[in-house]
């Protein structure tokens, strides 16, 4: 099979436009199509490609909601739009089943899903580097031709992703655990903030921001994703709900009679073992986070944190990173927490444990405040 010289991207939202920008950066000619002319126009103005006028291409990338992938695939195949076809929907079993039901050519189609995204949506949020080092699932079936699989692997490589071949049903169960159910649980926590008193919001710190960050995603987009993977997501949510219900019951049991109330015949004494059950859930949580892969898909690393007080001024992060660079220290990750009502905050620099003394000394020597 020859390389991918011409690619059609159907659907110029965040993922579709990011695919287009990544391919354009590799010298691929990209054609754009979308039911919304304004979206195509904006993607084109961002340098993602040219508007499609019906010419045949090497591969068509279908970047539309899961429920309409199969219909779009059938339409493109009837038009002879491409030699090969793929999609980027976050659900895989549903499009494959629907494509088979309506008679699509499954030999030229290989289902795909890049595990990358942002809270923002639309072409304006697209980035050419969105997929760098990110897993990209490909789910061929017994009918998929080897050439179609090779074509998708090449496209993933051009976009900077890491190809992971997986069966469609297994994929959907996996993303229910690592993506779809976490989004719903984050939304459930964030929903508690909608009617929280101002005093509570004034105390909000980085913890609640970390837990609720993904809840800012487009509700309409996520409704489509969740409905397309409903049963696996429901299974995970029921397991999470059972853990939360058990934790709530244990907390109540640990408290005993309500504070300030007179003991009554029906009052149960505090359960001394109740908090142990909560502790066990917290330990399971630590074990789970420890299994999340680290950088480049390798084992998770335990980094040390160097906290620095940083002003909310232009160029402060650049100065901070320059000190680390001059000290020969690689910053593995960085987290920022702003101080409410003050023009400063804290930067948590995650580094290898052995680098802490050198970085701390260099920062203090350059006038940075370390708590």
């Amino acid at each position: 099979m020859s390389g991918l010289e011409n690619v059609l991207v159907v659907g110029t939202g965040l993922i579709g436009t990011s695919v287009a920008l990544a391919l354009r950066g590799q010298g691929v000619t990209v054609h754009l199509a979308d039911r919304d002319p304004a979206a195509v126009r904006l993607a084109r103005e961002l340098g993602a490609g040219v508007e499609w006028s019906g010419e045949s291409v090497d591969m068509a990338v279908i970047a539309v909601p899961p429920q309409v992938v199969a219909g779009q695939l059938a339409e493109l195949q009837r038009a002879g739009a491409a030699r090969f076809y793929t999609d980027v929907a976050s659900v895989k079993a549903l499009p494959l089943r629907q494509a088979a039901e309506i008679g699509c050519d499954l030999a030229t189609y290989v289902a795909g899903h890049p595990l990358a995204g942002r809270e923002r949506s639309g072409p304006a949020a697209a980035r050419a580097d969105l997929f760098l080092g990110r897993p990209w699932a490909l789910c061929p079936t017994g009918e998929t031709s080897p050439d179609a699989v090779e074509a998708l692997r090449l496209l993933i490589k051009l976009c900077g992703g890491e190809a992971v071949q997986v069966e469609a049903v297994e994929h959907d169960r996996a993303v229910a655990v690592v993506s779809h159910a976490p989004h719903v649980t984050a939304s459930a926590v964030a929903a508690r903030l909608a009617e929280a008193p101002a005093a509570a919001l004034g105390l909000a710190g980085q913890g609640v921001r970390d837990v609720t960050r993904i809840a800012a995603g487009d509700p309409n987009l996520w409704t489509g994703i969740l409905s397309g993977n409903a049963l696996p997501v429901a299974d995970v949510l029921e397991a999470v709900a059972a853990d939360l219900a058990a934790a709530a019951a244990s907390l109540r049991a640990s408290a005993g009679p309500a504070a300030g109330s007179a003991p009554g015949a029906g009052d149960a004494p505090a359960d001394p073992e109740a908090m142990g059950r909560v502790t066990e859930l917290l330990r399971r949580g630590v074990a789970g986070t420890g299994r999340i892969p680290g950088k480049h898909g390798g084992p998770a690393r335990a980094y040390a944190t160097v906290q620095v007080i940083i002003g909310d001024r232009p160029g402060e992060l650049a100065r901070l990173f320059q000190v680390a660079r001059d000290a020969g220290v690689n910053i593995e990750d960085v987290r920022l927490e702003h101080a409410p009502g003050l023009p400063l905050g804290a930067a948590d620099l995650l580094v290898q444990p052995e680098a802490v003394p050198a970085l701390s000394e260099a920062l203090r020597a350059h006038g940075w405040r370390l708590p």
Side-chain angles (χ1 to χ4, degrees):
M1 192 205 86
S2 61
L4 299 178
E5 298 179 0
N6 294 273
V7 171
L8 166 64
V9 174
V10 179
T12 50
L14 166 64
I15 300 298
T17 303
S18 294
V19 169
L21 289 170
L23 293 175
R24 290 280 293 135
Q26 297 296 318
V28 177
T29 298
V30 179
H31 305 267
L32 307 169
D34 196 296
R35 298 186 186 279
D36 181 0
V40 173
R41 185 164 56 251
L42 178 54
R44 189 183 68 231
E45 291 171 354
L46 292 171
V50 298
E51 192 164 353
W52 185 48
S53 56
E55 57 267 64
S56 182
V57 298
D58 296 316
M59 172 167 273
V61 179
I62 302 170
V64 300
Q67 289 81 357
V68 295
V69 166
Q72 185 66 74
L73 174 64
E75 183 179 327
L76 291 169
Q77 287 185 336
R78 283 194 297 269
R83 291 191 295 142
F84 306 109
Y85 304 84
T86 188
D87 74 290
V88 294
S90 63
V91 176
K92 297 275 68 81
L94 175 66
L96 279 166
R97 183 175 69 250
Q98 292 178 336
E101 289 171 353
I102 63 177
C104 292
D105 175 13
L106 299 184
T108 59
Y109 167 58
V110 53
H113 175 211
L115 277 295
R118 304 180 67 188
E119 291 76 55
R120 298 168 57 199
S121 59
R127 290 173 17 192
D129 64 352
L130 188 65
F131 311 108
L132 289 180
R134 302 291 297 176
W136 192 312
L138 62 158
C139 305
T141 68
E143 298 178 61
T144 310
S145 75
D147 282 349
V149 175
E150 184 182 348
L152 179 53
R153 286 187 176 276
L154 177 56
L155 182 137
I156 294 170
K157 182 178 180 180
L158 289 170
C159 290
E162 298 292 332
V164 179
Q165 187 164 324
V166 61
E167 197 273 334
V169 172
E170 182 183 356
H171 165 276
D172 289 357
R173 289 174 180 157
V175 295
V177 174
V178 301
S179 176
H180 300 170
H183 190 97
V184 178
T185 54
S187 297
V189 174
R192 307 280 72 76
L193 304 177
E195 298 179 358
L201 298 177
L203 297 174
Q206 194 59 40
V208 73
R209 291 184 177 91
D210 288 343
V211 170
T212 60
R213 177 182 58 81
I214 58 175
D218 182 349
N220 292 326
L221 172 66
W222 272 96
T223 298
I225 292 171
L226 295 170
S227 65
N229 200 23
L231 294 181
V233 175
D235 288 342
V236 178
L237 290 178
E238 286 168 355
V240 171
D243 276 341
L244 294 177
S250 295
L251 289 169
R252 291 189 182 282
S254 72
S261 64
D267 288 329
D271 180 355
E273 298 182 358
M275 286 310 297
R277 295 191 289 272
V278 176
T279 303
E280 179 56 28
L281 174 60
L282 298 177
R283 287 180 177 144
R284 286 166 52 207
V286 172
T289 58
R291 296 193 65 200
I292 299 173
K295 292 200 310 181
H296 316 302
R301 295 292 304 272
Y303 297 124
T305 300
V306 176
Q307 190 174 75
V308 186
I309 304 302
I310 183 170
D312 190 8
R313 297 184 296 271
E316 289 292 273
L317 276 177
R319 290 201 309 115
L320 192 62
F321 292 158
Q322 185 63 47
V323 173
R325 180 180 182 275
D326 292 344
V329 175
N330 183 48
I331 296 177
E332 307 289 347
D333 200 355
V334 61
R335 300 168 185 161
L336 298 177
E337 182 171 359
H338 299 283
L342 296 175
L344 53 82
D348 288 342
L349 307 180
L350 276 65
V351 299
Q352 299 289 348
E354 60 270 20
V356 170
L359 179 59
S360 299
E361 182 180 349
L363 289 167
R364 289 192 177 98
H366 285 79
W368 291 94
R369 291 168 51 200
L370 277 66

